Amino acid sequence: MNSPGPNAASSQAPHDAVRSPLARALRTYAAFVRMGFVNTLAYRLRYYTGIVTYFIYVSVYYFIWRAIFPHSTHIEGFDFSQILTYIAVGWIIRSFYFNNIDQDMAQQVMEGKLAMDLIKPVNLQFMYVAQSLGESLFRLGLLTAPTAVLLMLVYPLRRPASVLHFVAFFASGLSSFFIVAGINFAVGTFAIRLKSILGLLRAKYFLLELFSGLLLPISFFPHPVQKLLAALPFQYISYIPVLIYLGKINGAQIIVALGLQLFWFGALLAIGDMMWRWSSRKITIQGG
């Protein structure tokens, strides 16, 4: 029986050395994903009311748009069925990508618990994103999926344009979570210097819903505003994923859209890291 020679052993060792740190990092952050998932179990009852809340949101828009469309068959390329599906699908994926990273960071600062995060031998930004991913995966099963089923049973929503469009939509919706997580972490770093960011959180909440296209398709905005938003990451949170679902983005455009979502996530990670380094130079621990 032949045994591997010394050259084979020496070539395998560097490969294992490279793989081990990555594998350890993946296991570490996977534990934070699990932690976020398990912690959310304690609040699972509130998601039953969340289903009702999202149903009410879509119902309000249904009656608004039904009152508008008798005066026109198409508005900015949308008929009534498309605009209803646009609104419903936008709120459905919002129930998945929504997270409270910035609010959690602000609370940690105010309660003096940020020090416990600082002593952990992990990347703080990745830790918060991983925990929020666990929470979103929990909501996917307990909030997002039931809300989608309820809305499709009650309202005449369109199905995805094709299986390919649905797969791309799913990948785009997952990318939306990471973009929102990157934005929220960057906003959360302001809590270190400002101590209270309640006003900032409220402003971000409403602006994000408006500029992401959740409340109104971006194609309804004035052209100068559309050009401005095209250069920002917000439209990749809701507007682009729903257009993929409806089949208004096709072929190579889907690949470009998914690629730009990954680009913005990477850019927001870099911005968040830069802002964390800037903010962490002056940390004052409150509470205790």
Side-chain angles (χ1 to χ4, degrees):
M1 187 172 181
N2 295 329
S3 59
N7 291 335
S10 61
S11 63
Q12 184 178 2
H15 178 70
D16 291 341
V18 172
R19 186 175 58 182
S20 292
L22 177 60
R24 286 197 299 269
L26 290 176
R27 285 196 298 268
T28 298
Y29 294 109
F32 284 113
V33 172
R34 180 180 178 277
M35 184 186 304
F37 186 96
V38 172
N39 288 343
T40 313
L41 286 171
Y43 307 100
R44 59 186 180 275
L45 291 178
R46 71 182 179 186
Y47 292 109
Y48 299 135
T49 60
I51 295 171
V52 176
T53 301
Y54 278 90
F55 178 77
I56 292 174
Y57 286 154
V58 176
S59 297
V60 170
Y61 281 102
Y62 169 79
F63 289 109
I64 291 174
W65 286 108
R66 192 177 71 171
I68 293 174
F69 265 90
H71 303 287
S72 178
T73 57
H74 286 77
I75 301 178
E76 294 294 340
F78 290 86
D79 59 26
F80 176 71
S81 175
Q82 289 175 331
I83 199 67
L84 177 61
T85 303
Y86 177 94
I87 295 298
V89 174
W91 282 102
I92 288 170
I93 63 172
R94 194 260 188 191
S95 68
F96 168 74
Y97 66 64
F98 177 82
N99 62 76
N100 287 312
I101 291 178
D102 43 10
Q103 186 174 333
D104 292 341
M105 291 180 67
Q107 186 173 357
Q108 293 289 83
V109 171
M110 294 185 68
E111 295 180 357
K113 297 179 180 179
L114 186 64
M116 299 303 297
D117 290 335
L118 294 175
I119 64 176
K120 295 175 182 176
V122 295
N123 182 290
L124 196 71
Q125 186 177 23
F126 290 170
M127 182 191 75
Y128 274 104
V129 172
Q131 288 179 337
S132 294
L133 179 59
E135 296 173 5
S136 288
L137 291 175
F138 182 90
R139 287 200 303 272
L140 180 63
L142 203 64
L143 177 60
T144 305
T147 301
V149 171
L150 177 61
L151 290 174
M152 289 182 177
L153 288 175
V154 175
Y155 295 113
L157 304 184
R158 291 195 172 196
R159 295 182 179 182
S162 69
V163 174
L164 177 61
H165 282 88
F166 180 76
V167 172
F169 162 74
F170 187 86
S172 184
L174 181 61
S175 299
S176 297
F177 162 81
F178 290 107
I179 293 176
V180 174
I183 292 173
N184 286 350
F185 182 84
V187 172
T189 60
F190 283 104
I192 297 174
R193 289 182 178 256
L194 300 179
K195 303 304 182 289
S196 176
I197 58 171
L198 181 59
L200 181 61
L201 292 181
R202 288 176 176 173
K204 183 223 70 174
Y205 175 83
F206 290 111
L207 290 176
L208 204 60
E209 289 193 346
L210 179 62
F211 292 155
S212 68
L214 177 63
L215 301 181
L216 191 70
I218 292 177
S219 59
F220 284 44
F221 287 42
H223 287 291
V225 178
Q226 291 185 39
K227 291 182 179 179
L228 174 62
L229 293 179
L232 297 173
F234 306 119
Q235 68 173 349
Y236 295 97
I237 296 172
S238 181
Y239 182 64
I240 295 299
V242 181
L243 289 189
I244 292 175
Y245 180 94
L246 291 171
K248 291 182 175 292
I249 296 179
N250 298 285
Q253 292 178 326
I254 294 178
I255 304 300
V256 172
L258 294 176
L260 286 172
Q261 284 185 300
L262 292 177
F263 164 78
W264 278 116
F265 174 53
L268 289 167
L269 281 181
I271 292 172
D273 182 70
M274 180 179 63
M275 293 185 66
W276 166 252
R277 294 177 185 275
W278 171 73
S279 298
S280 60
R281 294 173 186 171
K282 187 178 180 181
I283 295 181
T284 302
I285 302 298
Q286 303 186 72

